[in-house]
Amino acid sequence: MEWNQLLSTTRLSREKEPSNQRPGRSEFESDVGRISFSGSFRRLARKTQVHPMAPNDHVHTRLTHTLEVAYVGRALGKELGSRIAKELPKGVTPDDLGTVVQAACLAHDLGNPPFGHAGEVAMAHWFEFKGRHIVQGLSAGNKSDVTAVEGNAQGFRMIAQTENHLFDGGLQLTYATLGTFHKYPWTNRRADTSKFGSYRSEEMILDRIGEKLGLVQGGAHRWCRHPLAHLVEAADDICYSIIDLEDAVELRILSFDDVAGFFLEAFDEKEKIKIRNGFAPGDSHRINLARLRGFVFDKAIAGAIEAYLIGYDEIMRGRYDGNVFDLLELTDPRVKLVFGAKDLGRKKMYTDTKKVEMEIGCYSIFDSLLTEFCSAAIKQAKILGGKSKVSLSWKETQILQLLGDHTPAKDNAPAGGWTPYQCLRRVIDFVTGMTDNYAVYVSRQFQGMGFAGTQRP
């Protein structure tokens, strides 16, 4: 692959328009602005990172997590740019690589539903079991698409299809940013993995991106990763594995000594003494975690860049789509720092009783939302398709009204018109776009429990 193609500033759905750089702002910086000022980005402030609706304001939301990932991603991109500066096209700087990675990082979690990964699982289980009658009439491919709710694919759909310019390029980002966003540049047709980055409704856009950027093709609707996508994944891994443990301390799931002791294992004795000498006295876990965090991040970022350069040739040939930290020796302390933190989180934090209780409760919320919205959407698909003499009930009319701009109608149809699959996609767009608070509120309203004067989020 070649960097002059990989860093294309051409915008999706505006291919024929010349680049419109403004003084002091590159096309990639414009991507950062388009994402940062989008409605879906704003809603991340009320979406779960790990702990649903945590009462402690120091616990991360999707928004604070995303901003931290974007900072680390920019640092990784700039560092890589400085290391390979001689290979970059004329006029492209290390800052440009940092900005592309930053933009993709800002978008990387936009498709996650309310209640985080628990929400993904709850929605997928609802479609597969309780809502199986809803997807009964779909083709096998479209059925598997709907039942496999996937935040990465939903995020791609948002930025490339539905946000701002409906079915006309979404945010109309540069191809470079769209390619870098793709952690899994394939559809769920790929049988060897449960993760995928594009629904079938966006297959043509995925292929257009692959062709435009010169990505290596590995089969139908399957491409290799954009080289900078590895840095987005590394930034995400560094932030959530490390910061999630800080949240565990804040919520008293883990002690400060447990977490600090784990982090310090990545350092030699001289470094440990320097770090410990910088700790504040007394029970100042927030201050001390902040002081420790800088050393930990520096260690992890250096490891990610070193690993990337080890695999650089294979990455540029499109032959590597694994985690960059896997390119380091297993005995490298930076590998244990990232993967060990993930393992500690799985064992101690993700099984916390209160968290599990909230996640079970979120299934009931999705049950009420999907039952009402999907039933009305399927009926609307039949009406718009003109294949059945059915009409909406009063309740279904009201339900569709709540969908607002997401309501399938004659004047907002995708290419090919409104099929049951496309109508269900719009319901999933709406529900995954909800904040935790709004999902709870609407669910309570549907169940007749909203008459206590609860304020609308």
Side-chain angles (χ1 to χ4, degrees), residues 245-377:
L245 296 185
E246 290 192 27
D247 285 347
V249 175
E250 194 66 46
L251 293 170
R252 302 183 185 279
I253 297 170
L254 292 171
S255 71
F256 168 77
D257 289 339
D258 288 337
V259 173
F262 169 78
F263 286 152
L264 287 169
E265 290 178 13
F267 299 88
D268 61 34
E269 288 305 314
K270 187 176 180 180
E271 290 171 321
K272 288 178 183 177
I273 293 172
K274 178 182 178 181
I275 293 168
R276 285 198 181 103
N277 286 341
F279 283 168
D283 184 19
S284 305
H285 70 267
R286 287 177 188 162
I287 294 173
N288 290 333
L289 282 172
R291 294 180 181 180
L292 174 58
R293 186 191 312 125
F295 293 99
V296 173
F297 271 35
D298 284 347
K299 179 78 71 173
I301 289 171
I305 289 296
E306 184 179 322
Y308 190 99
L309 293 175
I310 290 172
Y312 181 72
D313 289 341
E314 289 298 287
I315 289 171
M316 293 302 291
R317 292 188 178 100
R319 296 177 183 170
Y320 186 75
D321 62 6
N323 192 299
V324 292
F325 285 102
D326 286 329
L327 294 167
L328 296 173
E329 296 290 334
L330 283 175
T331 54
D332 192 306
R334 295 166 299 189
V335 173
K336 184 179 179 182
L337 180 64
V338 175
F339 291 152
K342 290 183 182 182
D343 189 53
L344 183 59
R346 280 192 292 267
K347 290 178 179 177
K348 298 291 186 179
M349 184 170 58
Y350 303 150
T351 56
D352 177 63
T353 301
K354 187 173 182 181
K355 179 177 180 294
V356 172
E357 290 171 348
M358 292 286 285
E359 290 176 346
I360 293 171
C362 91
Y363 182 91
S364 298
I365 291 167
F366 285 114
D367 182 16
S368 63
L369 295 175
L370 293 172
T371 296
E372 302 296 352
F373 284 124
C374 289
S375 298

